[in-house]
Amino acid sequence: RGVAVDEYGTVYVSDSSNHRIVKWTVNATEGVIVAGGNGVGNRTDQFNIPGGMILDKSGTIYVVDENNHRIVSVPAGAQNGTVIAGGHGQGNSSRQLSNPIYLAFNRDGDLTHCYDNHRIFVIVSSIQCLDSVFVQSLCILSATTGITVGPGDLQWNSNGITVVGSDTAGTSLNQLNGPRGLFFDQKTQILYIADRDNHRIQQLLPNGQIKTIAGDPNGTPGTSNDRLNQPSAIYIDENQNLFIADYNNHRVQKWENGAASGITVAGETGIPGSGLNQLNGPQAIWVDSKNNLYIADLRNHRVVKRLSQTSVVVAGGNGQGNLPNQLNDPVGLYFDELNNDLYISNYLGHSITKWKIGETQGTFIAGTPGQSGTSSTQFSSPSTVALDKNGNMYIADTSNHRIQLFCHGSSKEGKTIAGITGQNGNKPNQLNSPHDLALDTQKLDLYVADSDNNRVEKFSFISPSSKGIKTMMEQHLILVLIIISFVLFY
């Protein structure tokens, strides 16, 4: 059930049903028992269904002793092991494990975490197991390979590259004026920009060409179907149709692919209101696979789902506030369709709410509701919430002038991946009131609407541990091949 290989090619196997660890050197025709093998039991020279196993650099074997609910380390050549985690019976206290199944090293070769059937643990100095601490610093890099890395392994270049705009606002094609919404179309590799105070939508093509595809190219607002008034967000569906949250017109427009004008699909042009057919400052939008439209209705402090003739409230709608059943200036929206969860950023609530469709209240998953701050657990007017394909969460923390990463798994502590906390500026490593972000989910490059700098910045993904990650993947493949060989030939 567990296999490990040292640098000399020696294979160590958890012979679970025989309650022992067996070592096979290169070209050997039989193995040697190096741990256990003294019958089933809970002595330090015994195991009860040994499972996952890892070697450290000194040759010490770390074994998941599943039915003894413990982790045991056995130094090279030793007859007895040492219990380094668990061993206090089955349970869920911080000193107990419950049928642990797996453990892992960090990239420096130190034992860092183990998994039981219910929790993730971090092992500190190979002595004790702390309940669920590692959840707060765990990022999933690849759900398909099962590789996880710490937040320090997911990094972006600290200096951004301006891809559109400059420090000076303007109406020429390569200028912006308070850009807000971004959308990166993975299929076409086109970046869409809601150039809010120019009242238009810009398109950055992969070849660097910039086009105006909606609104007046010269920046004139209006209420007609070919004009916009402070567009705040955009969404591109699978047919390249463009949906626009036309903020100051209190409507959502749909511009079909290639159209010269849009049609109103939600709200009443120029008429703010709180009725189900009305909007008051639509700020963010999402279109699901069934073409249902979700709208963050800012001044009504709610999220509505647009049906064929009317809308229904799916989150908030209970007044402005910081209670679980309220929203507080919802400006960002992400819909996890697989799990039926809405992620909502509360701009004046300084928090992120996760709200399952059909529930009457949400759960605060990041930030301190109603309280701004600059720490790694706080926000100051968060604008955008986005998730990558592995569930890691990205926040445009607007008034802190930074982008925060929250790793998958209920993390409450963020890591700054772009900008400098509390420091606004126009240098390549600075941001000034970023209001939106878009992620190239394949390359993990990050695009940021740096609103008060009138530009869009691109922060390229880098990983200082890419070599280590590659090695981990190679080791995973080798172990799979070894296991297959044992199944076929032994």
Side-chain angles (χ1 to χ4, degrees), residues 373-376 378-380 397-404 416 418-425 429-434:
T374 60
S375 76
S376 59
Q378 294 177 305
F379 301 118
S380 183
D397 191 7
T398 301
S399 295
N400 278 329
H401 313 291
R402 66 187 182 184
I403 306 299
Q404 296 290 92
T416 301
I420 301 172
T421 300
Q423 184 181 119
N424 65 315
N429 67 336
Q430 293 177 312
L431 299 170
N432 193 352
S433 299

Side-chain angles (χ1 to χ4, degrees), residues 93-112:
S93 75
S94 60
R95 65 200 295 263
Q96 294 177 303
L97 297 174
S98 179
N99 298 111
I101 56 175
Y102 178 69
L103 49 80
F105 285 126
N106 66 15
R107 63 180 181 273
D108 297 317
D110 300 319
L111 182 63
T112 58

Side-chain angles (χ1 to χ4, degrees), residues 5 17 31 60 64 79 89 91 160 173 201 216 224 232 242 259 280 288 293 317 325 375 381 383 386 397 426 441 459:
V5 183
S17 296
T60 297
V64 173
Q79 298 296 315
L173 273 179
I201 306 299
D216 179 31
S224 61
S232 60
L242 172 65
N280 192 350
D288 68 17
L293 174 64
N325 69 337
S375 76
S381 304
S383 289
D397 191 7
N426 59 12
T441 57
F459 294 87

Side-chain angles (χ1 to χ4, degrees), residues 114-370:
C114 58
Y115 301 77
D116 68 8
N117 283 337
H118 312 286
R119 301 171 295 177
I120 301 175
F121 294 80
V122 58
I123 294 178
V124 181
S125 302
S126 299
I127 294 174
Q128 58 180 333
C129 227
L130 301 181
D131 187 17
S132 301
V133 173
F134 196 70
V135 173
Q136 297 190 15
S137 60
L138 181 67
C139 282
I140 296 181
L141 183 62
S142 172
T144 56
T145 62
I147 292 179
T148 59
V149 296
D153 296 299
L154 286 181
Q155 294 189 15
W156 286 256
N157 196 317
S158 60
N159 291 320
I161 298 171
T162 301
V163 293
V164 183
S166 65
D167 295 339
T168 304
T171 59
S172 65
L173 273 179
N174 63 346
Q175 289 182 304
L176 300 170
N177 190 357
R180 291 298 174 98
L182 296 179
F183 190 96
F184 185 78
D185 185 14
Q186 203 67 51
K187 186 194 305 184
T188 63
Q189 298 287 294
I190 294 174
L191 179 68
Y192 295 81
I193 307 164
D195 189 8
R196 193 188 71 158
D197 293 332
N198 278 332
H199 315 288
R200 65 187 184 183
I201 306 299
Q202 301 292 85
Q203 190 182 64
L204 175 64
L205 302 176
N207 63 5
Q209 183 182 2
I210 301 170
K211 293 182 177 180
T212 299
I213 60 168
D216 179 31
N218 298 313
T220 304
T223 59
S224 61
N225 282 337
D226 62 345
R227 296 290 176 95
L228 302 169
N229 193 343
Q230 291 194 326
S232 60
I234 42 189
Y235 194 97
I236 310 299
D237 70 12
E238 60 182 7
N239 297 314
Q240 310 303 304
N241 298 316
L242 172 65
F243 292 80
I244 305 170
D246 194 7
Y247 177 80
N248 243 8
N249 278 328
H250 309 289
R251 66 185 183 185
V252 174
Q253 293 283 91
K254 178 182 179 181
W255 293 55
E256 294 192 353
N257 189 7
S261 63
I263 57 173
T264 300
V265 293
E268 298 177 342
T269 301
I271 304 175
S274 58
L276 289 178
N277 287 319
Q278 295 177 307
L279 300 170
N280 192 350
Q283 187 70 31
I285 50 178
W286 190 276
V287 181
D288 68 17
S289 63
K290 300 179 179 65
N291 294 317
N292 295 310
L293 174 64
Y294 297 83
I295 307 164
D297 190 7
L298 181 71
R299 300 304 176 198
N300 285 323
H301 310 288
R302 66 187 184 184
V303 174
V304 296
K305 176 182 178 181
R306 182 65 184 174
L307 304 177
S308 58
Q309 298 298 323
T310 187
S311 297
V312 294
V313 177
V314 292
N318 297 301
Q320 180 179 8
N322 300 304
L323 297 176
N325 69 337
Q326 295 177 309
L327 299 175
N328 195 342
D329 267 23
V331 298
L333 184 64
Y334 181 94
F335 183 40
D336 176 3
E337 190 171 352
L338 180 63
N339 295 303
N340 217 26
D341 290 325
L342 289 169
Y343 291 78
I344 306 160
S345 56
N346 296 291
Y347 189 77
L348 294 183
H350 314 293
S351 61
I352 306 299
T353 298
K354 180 179 177 181
W355 197 305
K356 186 172 291 292
I357 299 292
E359 299 291 337
T360 58
Q361 65 181 36
T363 303
F364 295 110
I365 60 170
T368 304

Side-chain angles (χ1 to χ4, degrees), residues 433-451:
S433 299
H435 272 86
D436 203 358
L437 61 88
L439 194 68
D440 179 340
T441 57
Q442 297 302 319
K443 300 176 183 177
L444 286 184
D445 291 339
L446 183 69
Y447 295 88
V448 178
D450 192 12
S451 300

Side-chain angles (χ1 to χ4, degrees), residues 443-469:
K443 300 176 183 177
L444 286 184
D445 291 339
L446 183 69
Y447 295 88
V448 178
D450 192 12
S451 300
D452 286 0
N453 280 328
N454 305 300
R455 67 187 184 183
V456 174
E457 295 286 278
K458 176 184 177 181
F459 294 87
S460 297
F461 176 71
I462 57 175
S463 175
S465 299
S466 58
K467 180 178 179 180
I469 292 168

